[in-house]
Amino acid sequence: MIRWAMLTCVTCSLLGVGCGTVQTDDYAVYRHAPEASTLVQEPVAVVFTNPEGIEFRGVASHDDSVESANILYSGAGGAGGVAAQIALHATMVQGAQDRKLEKLREQANQVLQPLSEEVEALQGMDLSTLSVDGKFSVKPRRSDIEVESTHIETYPIFYVTEDLSSLSVKNVLILRSPGDPQTPPVYQNLVEVVSDRSIGASTKKELLGKGLEVVLKELYQVSVLVALDDMKDRLQADNQQPETFRHDVGGDLRIERGVTVKESCSNVVVRNLRGWLISLPKPDTECVDTFADGSLQKG
């Protein structure tokens, strides 16, 4: 019994090293402590933590499945030898998965080539222009805020579909107790916002950059405003049962399971099974909504 216990402990320990997946930067484990609603007082400072600043990527597949041959482990080395072989095999599989995901990302990023000039220009934009009066103020650097002050960290990544028909943002937002950056987040989540505005290649070149900037600002502002609503407990599911949401993204059908937490005439905010918040446009709507910058947009 002791020998089997040792084998289990050694195997689990080695697997913890061998099977540690690479943490993606567009992923967050949902955390929401009760004190989040009292900590956030609008307007709140928002700090960019993405070292790339404004970062664009193509929409890539997350399928990391790889073929793995059946392995017959040798017992000649005892329990430790078997555990080491299992860990080595797991490491090899994980390496193959990481290489596949990296290749998929590189292929997806090729879609940015027609937008290279516009993307480069936007990467040099003044991030403070993303602020919303009375709600939040964007600070490009940590040095722009006081350490003891309450602030939100954001790590946004903007995604362009292969046919250049749609832009979206995945924004990881984190709120910690003031003055103690080592403590677990009081609030942490991923907010995704999908635009229904076309940025297709058919758009005139001289208008493409400006249009891209307008959509980018809207997406970012909405993502922060949605997170602020969530921190303040304004996005409740009211004991709803999860349902299926279908949405076309660049010609591909996207399916999400979740519950509606907010709805307007032009979009719906869904909390999926991971706790993430996703704002999806409603198709073929005729309505007028107020956007983050106060402007009116007909849907």
Side-chain angles (χ1 to χ4, degrees), residues 32-41 175 186-187 230-232:
H32 190 171
E35 58 266 32
S37 59
T38 58
L39 276 178
V40 178
Q41 300 297 324
L175 171 68
V186 175
Y187 179 89
D230 195 28
M231 294 178 196
K232 291 180 171 293

Side-chain angles (χ1 to χ4, degrees), residues 138-199:
V138 176
K139 310 295 182 181
R141 298 169 298 274
R142 291 183 185 274
S143 58
D144 295 331
I145 62 168
E146 297 180 5
V147 177
E148 298 296 327
S149 65
T150 298
H151 63 275
I152 298 171
E153 301 171 2
T154 68
Y155 194 110
I157 301 173
F158 296 88
Y159 288 88
V160 181
T161 56
E162 184 177 1
D163 60 358
L164 303 180
S165 66
S166 179
L167 183 69
S168 63
V169 66
K170 290 184 179 180
N171 194 359
V172 175
L173 300 103
I174 298 176
L175 171 68
R176 292 189 174 90
S177 297
D180 195 355
Q182 303 304 318
T183 59
V186 175
Y187 179 89
Q188 175 178 282
N189 206 2
L190 173 70
V191 179
E192 180 179 2
V193 184
V194 180
S195 175
D196 60 350
R197 295 199 187 190
S198 176
I199 57 168

Side-chain angles (χ1 to χ4, degrees), residues 54-56 111-125 158 160 164 167 199-201 203-214 216:
I54 300 296
E55 180 180 3
F56 286 89
V111 72
L112 299 175
Q113 291 179 356
L115 304 173
S116 58
E117 294 180 6
E118 290 74 21
V119 167
E120 183 177 356
L122 288 172
Q123 287 173 337
M125 71 181 294
F158 296 88
V160 181
L164 303 180
L167 183 69
I199 57 168
T203 304
K204 292 183 179 180
K205 188 69 174 177
E206 60 270 21
L207 301 178
L208 185 58
K210 186 61 179 178
L212 195 61
E213 180 180 350
V214 170
L216 180 150

Side-chain angles (χ1 to χ4, degrees), residues 217-234:
K217 286 185 175 181
E218 284 183 0
L219 291 175
Y220 180 79
Q221 291 174 343
V222 171
S223 70
V224 178
L225 292 174
V226 168
L228 285 173
D229 278 349
D230 195 28
M231 294 178 196
K232 291 180 171 293
D233 299 317
R234 296 171 181 164

